Amino acid sequence: MSANLDRICTVDISLASPIANEASFDNILILGPAPKVQKEDIPAVGVYRSLNELTELGFVATGADADPVGVAARVAFSQSPRPHEVYVAVIADTVPVPEEPTDEELEQAVAEGKPWSVSETLDNALSINGWYCICPAGLERSQVVEVIQWTETQNKICGYIDNDPDDPMVQPGLYFRSFPLFAKETADQPDHEVPVENQYGMAVALASKAMHYHAGEETWALKQLAAVYPAKLKSTFIKKLEAANITYLTTVASKNLTQGGKTNAGEWIDVIRFRDWLQNDMQVRVVNLLVVNPKIPYTDGGIGLVDNQMLASLKDGQKYGGIAPTEYDADGNANPGYVTSVPLASELTSVQKASRVLSDCRFSARLAGAIHVVNISGCLTYENL
């Protein structure tokens, strides 16, 4: 490039790089103990693209000596389509725990990848982006309860096994981010006879299958699962499972399909996942708007740019099937899938403008939902119709 060009014309170009969206709503995190025989150093939180990568570390996935994490990973990679990657967090239960550990000791343990509790393990796992659904495998009942309680404070979800609707692990109606699954083949099957694939992998199978779809596209009911065994249940027991919001797997027309799809609190799992996705998507869009532009003025035009980002996010939510399309009643009146509202600059006080905080940006959107059951009535007649 000739330096003489600058004598006639100068051009300065800056790069307005948007922020990266690091949130994921597609992958599972298997949480469990280290393998019985460890071949190599295992990271506190690792990501694996095949079962072989885990077995090379010492996790046993088949046979009588199988490790819970190994079995869960085998079930995950058995689904069709199989997940691209699986995250694993190992609880280091061999670390001696001081009676009253200091803050320095706790920080050192976490830095070495050896947290002392379930919550500390999960806090450590938050430093790794890319996972969304926690699936405990091989943990004690009290540890699973700790996972459920921890999950409720995060934008994550948790799938866990609960085989007793009469005495559930946690009281139904309390937790919106955790969903229980029934793992037994019959209501009265002894615990030691439950297949390890069901015991460690039922939640993994469902999460891997459902999260293959984009948030909004899926329901967690009526999913065909591989490598886990269906249950043969009587109607009375099924009523108990439904009352406790416990999802189960049963055979319908020669296919093993899930029934249920709710969280412990009774909300649909897909609604929680879609809400998390929409919240993150809208946040990222608005933040990028503010970052890549030198300034968004506190005027009707600037406020309109914020409104456009809200609309773009809602439009994508509609595209993926989470938000209903515009529909019409019998009289032809439109019922929009979503609406937004933002304030006019003239309606805001000088104090509000001086704060540089834009409030009262709102939207309403109709969930598209999903059909799980169809009731049809009809009649046969010799009469003309």
Side-chain angles (χ1 to χ4, degrees), residues 21 28 72 135 151 154 171 183 201 270 279 293 306 327 337 352 370 379:
N21 185 3
I28 61 171
C135 297
T151 304
Q154 308 292 326
Q171 180 181 334
D270 56 273
Q279 178 189 34
N293 290 280
V306 174
E327 296 171 317
Q352 288 174 302
C379 67

Side-chain angles (χ1 to χ4, degrees), residues 36 59-68 70-71 74 195-197 200:
K36 302 178 186 68
F59 288 101
V60 179
T62 59
D65 295 326
D67 297 296
V71 173
R74 170 166 60 86
V196 291
E197 292 84 357
Y200 304 134

Side-chain angles (χ1 to χ4, degrees), residues 12 22 47 59 63 81 92 138 142 154 157 181 249 269 288 291 295-296 301 313 337 341 344 352-353 378:
D12 296 317
E22 297 179 341
V47 56
F59 288 101
S142 61
Q154 308 292 326
I157 59 176
L181 292 101
L249 182 71
I269 307 168
N288 269 324
V291 168
K295 182 179 80 169
I296 301 298
S313 187
S341 66
L344 295 173
Q352 288 174 302
K353 292 180 180 179

Side-chain angles (χ1 to χ4, degrees), residues 92-328:
D93 55 2
T94 59
V95 180
V97 182
E99 291 185 2
E100 295 183 1
T102 65
D103 291 341
E104 291 76 12
E105 287 173 323
L106 287 172
E107 291 176 2
Q108 182 179 359
V110 172
E112 294 174 352
K114 298 178 179 179
W116 289 322
S117 73
V118 168
S119 294
E120 288 161 359
T121 302
L122 290 170
D123 287 341
N124 192 40
L126 286 176
S127 64
I128 305 296
N129 295 313
W131 59 273
Y132 178 64
C133 180
I134 309 163
C135 297
L139 302 188
E140 300 293 334
R141 181 185 178 106
S142 61
Q143 291 178 309
V144 176
V145 172
E146 188 178 351
V147 176
I148 295 169
Q149 294 170 340
W150 182 92
T151 304
E152 200 68 15
T153 67
Q154 308 292 326
N155 278 0
K156 307 288 185 181
I157 59 176
C158 168
Y160 65 98
I161 302 303
D162 196 336
N163 291 324
D164 191 350
D166 293 320
D167 182 24
M169 192 169 295
V170 292
Q171 180 181 334
L174 294 182
Y175 297 99
F176 284 86
R177 292 188 166 275
S178 295
F179 54 96
L181 292 101
F182 184 76
K184 293 185 176 182
E185 296 173 285
T186 62
D188 56 357
Q189 185 178 32
D191 290 344
H192 67 276
E193 294 182 6
V194 179
V196 291
E197 292 84 357
N198 287 22
Q199 184 178 350
Y200 304 134
M202 187 68 79
V204 167
L206 176 55
S208 298
K209 186 74 173 184
M211 292 196 303
H212 166 72
Y213 302 94
H214 193 284
E217 289 182 335
E218 92 290 5
T219 174
W220 293 55
L222 305 176
K223 289 292 171 284
Q224 186 174 3
L225 306 183
V228 288
Y229 299 88
K232 296 180 179 179
L233 305 172
K234 295 182 178 180
S235 297
T236 300
F237 190 77
I238 288 176
K239 285 291 185 182
K240 291 183 177 181
L241 292 177
E242 292 174 345
N245 299 319
I246 299 177
T247 298
Y248 59 97
L249 182 71
T250 191
T251 303
V252 179
S254 75
K255 294 186 181 296
N256 298 332
L257 302 176
T258 55
Q259 301 290 319
K262 290 184 177 181
T263 67
N264 166 270
E267 183 57 89
W268 299 107
I269 307 168
D270 56 273
V271 170
I272 299 298
R273 182 176 177 233
F274 178 72
R275 182 188 63 180
D276 287 349
W277 172 85
L278 182 63
Q279 178 189 34
N280 177 77
D281 185 77
M282 193 173 293
Q283 285 177 327
V284 170
R285 289 176 185 272
V286 173
V287 170
N288 269 324
L289 172 71
L290 301 177
V291 168
V292 302
N293 290 280
K295 182 179 80 169
I296 301 298
Y298 215 137
T299 62
D300 285 339
I303 296 171
L305 293 175
V306 174
D307 189 29
N308 287 342
Q309 297 307 309
M310 295 168 57
L311 289 167
S313 187
L314 293 166
K315 184 178 180 180
D316 259 10
Q318 195 174 65
K319 179 184 72 174
Y320 290 121
I323 296 175
T326 298
E327 296 171 317
Y328 300 86

Side-chain angles (χ1 to χ4, degrees), residues 23-81:
S24 171
F25 302 93
D26 304 330
N27 297 310
I28 61 171
L29 173 77
I30 300 173
L31 177 68
K36 302 178 186 68
V37 179
Q38 186 171 317
K39 297 180 181 179
E40 299 181 21
D41 288 339
I42 299 175
V45 183
V47 56
Y48 307 92
R49 291 184 171 273
S50 70
L51 184 60
N52 288 341
E53 291 185 348
L54 279 163
T55 57
E56 288 173 355
L57 298 176
F59 288 101
V60 179
T62 59
D65 295 326
D67 297 296
V69 171
V71 173
R74 170 166 60 86
V75 172
F77 286 117
S78 295
Q79 301 311 305
S80 178

